Amino acid sequence: MLAIRLPAELETRLEALARATGRTKTFYVREAITAHLEDLEDFYLADQRLADLRAGATQTVALEDVLKRYDLED
């Protein structure tokens, strides 16, 4: 269970969409979260990896080395 407060304009738009389509507001909120959650996870993972790189906690690997290691060279 999740309860959220939306700005009035967003709530109005969501209600209008639900009425126009015969779907529930919950349906559209679930769809929006599903569509964007993976992008958000990817963004925060990349941000953490960049912070680790800048802090010297991790190193990069040259693309050529990766291709060679996994036998992906042309």
Side-chain angles (χ1 to χ4, degrees), residues 2-71:
L2 176 68
I4 60 171
R5 292 180 192 262
L6 299 173
E9 180 185 344
L10 190 54
E11 176 75 20
T12 300
R13 291 174 59 196
L14 186 57
E15 286 174 354
L17 179 61
R19 264 195 318 275
T21 61
R23 302 257 188 185
T24 65
K25 292 187 295 182
T26 299
F27 171 83
Y28 287 109
V29 170
R30 187 181 304 118
E31 288 293 304
I33 291 171
T34 300
H36 296 286
L37 186 58
E38 186 172 336
D39 291 341
L40 289 170
E41 290 168 336
D42 288 346
F43 172 81
Y44 286 108
L45 176 62
D47 190 52
Q48 182 60 55
R49 295 298 181 254
L50 181 58
D52 290 347
L53 182 63
R54 289 180 175 160
T58 190
Q59 297 178 341
T60 60
V61 177
L63 177 59
E64 295 82 19
D65 294 341
V66 172
L67 294 175
K68 195 177 293 181
R69 180 177 185 177
Y70 293 102
D71 197 26

